[in-house]
Amino acid sequence: MHDRHPELIERTELKESNGYSVLRIAVAEHDGVGLGMVHLKRTPVWSVMDPLGPHKTSIWPISTCNEVLVDALHALAEARLSGCALASPWRWQESEPTDLTELADLLDAKEVTVRRVVGGNRYFMASEDDDQPKLKILNGNYVEAESHDTVVRISLTSHLGWMMHVYAPELNGWGRVDLGRALERRRLPVPGVPRGQMSLSSLAQLLADGPATWEPEGPWSPEALEETPRLYADLDGQISLFPDDTRTHSDHLSADWIVESIHQQLRLLGFNDIEKGDVDNPLQSDTFHFVWHDRDKTLYTSDVQRFNGLAAAAGDELPKRLIVISRSEVSKPAASFADKAKAFIFRCDPECGRLYGLNSRAEQVMPPHGEPQQW
């Protein structure tokens, strides 16, 4: 701290508090901010605290480098000493500016409530029913916000770019918003908007404008349920489809019904140019070539390479991309190759027609799990 921020030397001291050592920076006579190591459910973490001030405690993994820790404490001290808001990206509990922190800044400027930014630092502290602080480690890269009393999650995925989901509490699930349609009034054949093809300011304005401009089309929206009454969300927020009659999970589903369920799911997940085909090609697309792998044998790299060659040859002018609908699993090397080939591999559960992503690209297409965290 002395080396990086010598202007605070006279305000800096080491103190003992409840058996812990705390690096403290005084901001008033009996007020200060501090950095210390604490244990959340026996997990040691770094904590940057403002006990008497307005700022929430931020926590960081124990592996966080010293430079990040002292800079986080310095930013908090500067905010208290100046009476200004905590500077970005520290206010979002991040150490480096990113597209996510920039989006959060833009949303905040438009008075959209930013709940959290999940990026480089995935550690968060939550108080639950017993009011005891607990460690939460979140996955993904996203900004979660509230706009017009609606919880929205804007994700930045490694393969698909920007994606947007809206939480529908009455359906206990997340609905997809077609960003291409909402922002550019055109449907893209592949889910997501590639990074760099959309300005963050336009995305922030879209959220600020509210749900009336989003046209959420996800499987949990009332509109989707009205149009496809066999579709609903189960308790873990996954897509499920069942026929209109009284069949259950254990009953055999016809091939035609499974094709119909796959078609509905893929369209709702953002594959916008997929249409019903014929007996030889049940699903057709100008962008994708479908391979139906109905054997129990695991898919290996050689299989996916062969399927990808068939997809490339299927295009009239440009090579098509590959979608595999499989009843079996896929090896890790095969999944990695599929990601590089911009292919999607899904497993279809024959008992209910539900799709599961088997490679990273397919997994990133799926909506978030569960309800938003309240803390």
Side-chain angles (χ1 to χ4, degrees):
M1 176 65 75
H2 289 175
D3 289 343
R4 292 179 70 82
H5 305 289
E7 74 280 6
L8 295 178
I9 287 178
E10 293 185 357
R11 294 179 177 270
T12 304
E13 62 179 342
L14 281 174
K15 295 195 68 175
E16 293 291 326
S17 176
N18 297 324
Y20 292 99
S21 296
V22 176
L23 178 62
R24 182 179 182 271
I25 298 178
V27 297
E29 184 176 357
H30 300 291
D31 188 7
V33 298
L35 165 69
M37 185 186 298
V38 299
H39 287 75
L40 298 179
K41 273 202 168 179
R42 300 182 180 179
T43 301
V45 297
W46 289 107
S47 174
V48 180
M49 303 160 283
D50 185 14
L52 301 180
H55 303 98
K56 292 182 179 180
T57 297
S58 65
I59 60 173
W60 302 78
I62 201 65
S63 59
T64 304
C65 68
N66 292 340
E67 290 80 6
V68 167
L69 294 172
V70 298
D71 287 354
L73 182 59
H74 170 261
L76 182 57
E78 287 293 296
R80 289 296 311 279
L81 290 168
S82 65
C84 299
L86 185 60
S88 182
W90 304 105
R91 65 182 307 186
W92 311 121
Q93 203 166 319
E94 292 287 308
S95 62
E96 296 289 342
T98 64
D99 286 346
L100 295 176
T101 61
E102 182 179 347
L103 176 60
D105 292 338
L106 292 169
L107 291 173
D108 183 69
K110 295 181 181 295
E111 300 184 346
V112 175
T113 301
V114 177
R115 294 163 59 99
R116 62 182 52 86
V117 175
V118 181
N121 180 17
R122 306 180 186 281
Y123 277 35
F124 295 86
M125 186 169 66
S127 294
E128 298 182 347
D129 295 338
D130 56 5
D131 291 328
Q132 292 297 316
K134 292 179 173 62
L135 173 64
K136 297 292 184 180
I137 304 176
L138 303 182
N139 295 317
N141 294 280
Y142 59 86
V143 175
E144 193 170 279
E146 292 182 34
S147 178
H148 300 259
D149 298 322
T150 302
V151 177
V152 184
R153 182 174 292 185
I154 306 294
S155 303
L156 181 57
T157 65
S158 57
H159 295 299
L160 304 173
W162 293 101
M163 305 187 79
M164 178 175 172
H165 294 88
V166 179
Y167 183 71
E170 67 278 9
L171 300 171
N172 191 35
W174 296 82
R176 172 70 50 78
V177 174
D178 188 331
L179 282 177
R181 182 179 180 184
L183 289 171
E184 303 177 15
R185 303 305 174 194
R186 65 187 181 97
R187 291 185 178 274
L188 304 176
V190 182
V193 176
R195 187 177 185 177
Q197 292 189 16
M198 175 185 66
S199 71
L200 295 178
S201 58
S202 64
L203 181 55
Q205 187 61 53
L206 179 70
L207 267 69
D209 289 341
T213 64
W214 299 344
E215 300 180 327
E217 306 177 2
W220 303 279
S221 68
E223 293 79 10
L225 290 172
E226 182 177 350
E227 295 175 3
T228 56
R230 294 180 299 179
L231 186 64
Y232 77 101
D234 61 17
L235 293 180
D236 64 0
Q238 285 293 310
I239 293 177
S240 297
L241 292 101
F242 290 90
D244 296 325
D245 57 24
T246 58
R247 292 177 187 171
T248 65
H249 277 72
S250 60
D251 292 322
H252 176 70
L253 301 178
S254 70
D256 288 343
W257 190 89
I258 289 180
V259 170
E260 175 65 23
S261 74
I262 293 172
H263 177 233
Q264 291 182 12
Q265 289 176 84
L266 291 177
R267 288 297 297 261
L268 288 166
L269 290 172
F271 296 91
N272 288 314
D273 75 340
I274 295 176
E275 303 293 343
K276 294 289 292 297
D278 51 31
V279 175
D280 295 329
N281 298 291
L283 295 178
Q284 296 181 353
S285 164
D286 293 334
T287 306
F288 295 98
H289 173 73
F290 285 86
V291 171
W292 303 79
H293 180 74
D294 59 357
R295 300 169 59 188
D296 292 329
K297 175 180 175 291
T298 298
L299 286 170
Y300 293 101
T301 305
S302 58
D303 300 312
V304 179
Q305 288 174 335
R306 178 167 56 87
F307 295 157
N308 196 58
L310 294 174
D316 293 330
E317 297 181 1
L318 296 174
K320 287 190 175 184
R321 291 170 59 176
L322 174 66
I323 292 180
V324 178
I325 307 296
S326 175
R327 63 180 294 178
S328 63
E329 299 297 322
V330 62
S331 70
K332 289 185 178 180
S336 178
F337 174 82
D339 290 332
K340 294 177 182 178
K342 299 183 179 180
F344 298 85
I345 304 180
F346 295 97
R347 179 181 178 272
C348 178
D349 187 336
E351 292 188 351
C352 65
R354 176 189 290 181
L355 292 178
Y356 300 87
L358 294 183
N359 66 320
S360 293
R361 283 185 181 271
E363 289 174 349
Q364 290 179 4
V365 167
M366 308 307 289
H369 294 269
E371 64 183 29
Q373 301 288 345
Q374 297 302 313
W375 36 270

